[in-house]
Amino acid sequence: MSAFELVGMLVAIVAVLGFVNYRFIHLPDIIGITAAGSLLAFALAIVGRHVPSVVEWAGALASRIDFPELVFHGFLGVLLFASSLHIDFAQLARQKWPVLVLSTIGVLISTVLVGCGSWWVLGALGETVELKWCLMFGALISPTDPIAVLGVLKKVSAPKALEMDIAGESLFNDGMGVVAYLTLLGIATGAMEPTWTGVAGLLALEVLGAVGVGLVVGYGAFLMLKGVDSHPVEILITIALATGGYALAERLHVSAPLATVVMGLVIGNHGARDAMSDTTRQRLFEFWDLLDELLNLMLFGLLALTLLSLMRAEESWLPVVALVPVVLVARFISVGAPAIVLRPFLQRRTPHAVKVLTWGGLRGGLSVALALSLPDFGQKDLLVLGTYAVVLFSLLVQAPTLGLLLKRLGLGR
C-alpha cells in the first residue's frame, strides 16, 4: 500500500466514524469520533479471537501510523497556534499566578505522585515496573492536553477566570512536562546525571529559550503582516509561522510547543489589533477555526485507531484500569495543594475551582505520543495501554460531563 493510499484510507475511516457519530451516537464531534474509533478497535479485538486474520490486518494497518511523528511534526504546531490565537492576553495576565503555578509546580507534584502511586498500585497487582519508568509515566500523563481541553471549553460555559486557568495551564504546561520527561528519560537511559544544575539548565533552555524564540519570530511575522494588505498572503504568513516557527524552535533545541503558543499569542493579540484590516482579521480567524476543527477530528480519530496496533496481545486490564484513579487523585492533590498556598495572594477565586480543574484536566494525543516514544522495556505496553485508558476516560467520561459538573456546582448555564 502506497503512502497516498494509506492516507486516503485513514481519512476515509475517520470520515465514516464522524458520520456514524453524527447519525447514531450524537456526541460532540471530537468525543464521538474518539468513542466510535475506540469501539471499532475493541470490536475488532473481539472478532480477532475467532478470526485472527481480521485483527492482524487491522493491527498491521494501524501500526503503519507513526503517531508520535504525526503529532509532533504534523498536527501539534498548527493546532497550538490555532488555539493560542483566541487567548486574550489581558485576561491571561490577570490569571498569571494560577496559570504559572499550575503549569510548573503542579506538573512536578503530579509527576511525582503519579509515578510513586502507579509504582505502588502496579506492584500490589503483581506487575513489577521499575520506579524510573513509573515516574516517566507520571511525566507524560501529568500535563493536560491543550487540544483536548480547548476543544471542550468551547462547548461549556465556565466562568471566565476559571476558563482562563484551565486554558492557560494546558497551553503552557507542555514546557515543564517535556523538561520532566526528557530529564527522566536521560536518567533512565544513563544519558545524564540527575543534578540540580543539569535540570535547571535544561529548564532554562527549553522554557526561557522557547519564550525568546516565540517573541522574536512572532514579532518578525507581525512586521511582515503590517506591510501587507492581502488576506491570502497574510494567511500564508501565519501558516509559515505555525510550521516553520515550530521547526526552527526544534532546531534550536527549545520547547517548540511553547514557542508556537507564544507566536500565536503575539499574532492573535498584537497582530490582529495593529497589523490587519477588519476583512483580513475575519477571514484569517475563520480559516484557522476551520483548520483547527478539521485537524482535531483527524487527530482524535487516528488516536482511537492506533489502539488497533496494541489490541493483538492478551492483556490483563485490571492494572491498566487501576492507573486511572491514580492519575485523578494525583491531579486533585497537585491542583489543591498549590491553591491552598496561593490563597493569601489571590484577591478572589472561583468557588469549587479545585473540583473543576481536577475534572477538567483532560489528556489527549500528546500523552499517547510521548508514551509510544518510550524506549523499549519489559512493561512498556502496560504503560502505553495505561496512558490510553487515562486518555479515553478523560475524553469519554470527564469531557462530556464537565458541563454537567459546572451546572451542578452552580457555575454554568
Side-chain angles (χ1 to χ4, degrees):
M1 183 182 297
S2 68
F4 179 77
E5 290 172 329
L6 177 63
V7 171
M9 180 176 292
L10 292 175
V11 172
I13 291 173
V14 174
V16 171
L17 295 177
F19 175 80
V20 170
N21 171 64
Y22 183 84
R23 289 297 303 272
F24 305 108
I25 304 178
H26 307 301
L27 287 172
D29 291 334
I30 292 173
I31 298 169
I33 285 178
T34 307
S38 302
L39 290 174
L40 173 63
F42 284 107
L44 286 174
I46 294 171
V47 170
R49 294 181 178 179
H50 306 285
V51 188
S53 60
V54 173
V55 76
E56 288 175 5
W57 174 84
L61 174 64
S63 64
R64 296 192 62 182
I65 305 172
D66 190 344
F67 195 74
E69 179 70 17
L70 193 64
V71 170
F72 292 124
H73 301 112
F75 288 93
L76 186 56
V78 176
L79 288 170
L80 286 176
F81 185 84
S83 298
S84 57
L85 277 177
H86 296 280
I87 298 295
D88 187 325
F89 188 77
Q91 290 186 8
L92 182 63
R94 285 194 289 270
Q95 298 299 116
K96 58 182 177 297
W97 291 115
V99 169
L100 178 63
V101 172
L102 287 171
S103 61
T104 55
I105 298 173
V107 171
L108 293 178
I109 293 173
S110 178
T111 297
V112 174
L113 291 176
V114 172
C116 295
S118 59
W119 175 76
W120 183 83
V121 168
L122 291 175
L125 294 173
E127 297 286 349
T128 303
V129 183
E130 291 184 70
L131 180 59
K132 63 182 181 182
W133 301 119
C134 290
L135 287 170
M136 289 197 67
F137 171 69
L140 66 88
I141 206 67
S142 290
T144 54
D145 190 302
I147 300 162
V149 170
L150 294 171
V152 172
L153 285 179
K154 293 177 184 178
K155 311 295 183 183
V156 300
S157 302
K160 283 296 181 185
L162 190 55
E163 181 179 330
M164 191 54 60
D165 284 354
I166 299 173
E169 178 205 4
S170 67
L171 282 170
F172 285 101
N173 62 14
D174 293 312
M176 182 58 67
V178 169
V179 169
Y181 179 84
L182 292 177
T183 301
L184 291 169
L185 178 62
I187 295 171
T189 58
M192 69 173 289
E193 293 293 327
T195 62
W196 287 108
T197 54
V199 174
L202 184 60
L203 176 63
L205 177 64
E206 287 281 344
V207 178
L208 299 181
V211 172
V213 169
L215 289 173
V216 171
V217 177
Y219 187 71
F222 162 76
L223 293 178
M224 293 177 67
L225 292 171
K226 198 170 183 179
V228 176
D229 187 19
S230 168
H231 67 266
V233 175
E234 292 180 77
I235 290 173
L236 186 60
I237 290 172
T238 59
I239 295 173
L241 187 61
T243 55
Y246 186 95
L248 175 64
E250 282 197 321
R251 177 64 62 179
L252 296 175
H253 302 291
V254 301
S255 174
L258 182 56
T260 307
V261 168
V262 174
M263 296 174 205
L265 289 173
V266 171
I267 300 303
N269 290 267
H270 194 40
R273 185 182 65 245
D274 300 328
M276 300 178 193
S277 65
D278 291 340
T279 300
T280 295
R281 187 183 307 112
Q282 179 183 353
R283 292 186 176 181
L284 184 140
F285 276 83
E286 286 175 350
F287 167 82
W288 279 103
D289 285 344
L290 177 60
L291 187 61
D292 185 34
E293 292 286 343
L294 291 176
L295 289 184
N296 264 300
L297 297 180
M298 284 297 302
L299 174 63
F300 286 97
L302 295 176
L303 167 65
L305 291 178
T306 52
L307 264 175
L308 292 171
S309 62
L310 297 170
M311 298 300 290
R312 288 170 289 178
E314 293 292 334
E315 294 283 349
S316 172
W317 288 96
L318 180 58
V320 172
V321 174
L323 293 175
V324 175
V326 171
V327 173
L328 282 174
V329 171
R331 171 70 178 174
F332 179 77
I333 297 173
S334 66
V335 169
I340 295 173
V341 175
L342 281 174
R343 188 174 297 165
F345 305 98
L346 300 176
Q347 296 178 349
R348 183 176 64 184
R349 291 295 290 153
T350 304
H352 309 292
V354 172
K355 298 175 186 175
V356 177
L357 284 166
T358 299
W359 201 246
L362 308 181
R363 277 75 176 184
L366 285 176
S367 292
V368 173
L370 286 172
L372 291 171
S373 300
L374 285 169
D376 289 330
F377 62 96
Q379 299 295 322
K380 177 181 176 179
D381 283 354
L382 173 61
L383 294 185
V384 172
L385 285 172
T387 303
Y388 268 105
V390 173
V391 169
L392 292 179
F393 183 85
S394 71
L395 292 177
L396 303 183
V397 179
Q398 291 174 244
T401 57
L402 182 58
L404 296 176
L405 176 64
L406 288 168
K407 292 179 182 178
R408 184 77 177 268
L409 297 175
L411 301 176
R413 295 191 296 273

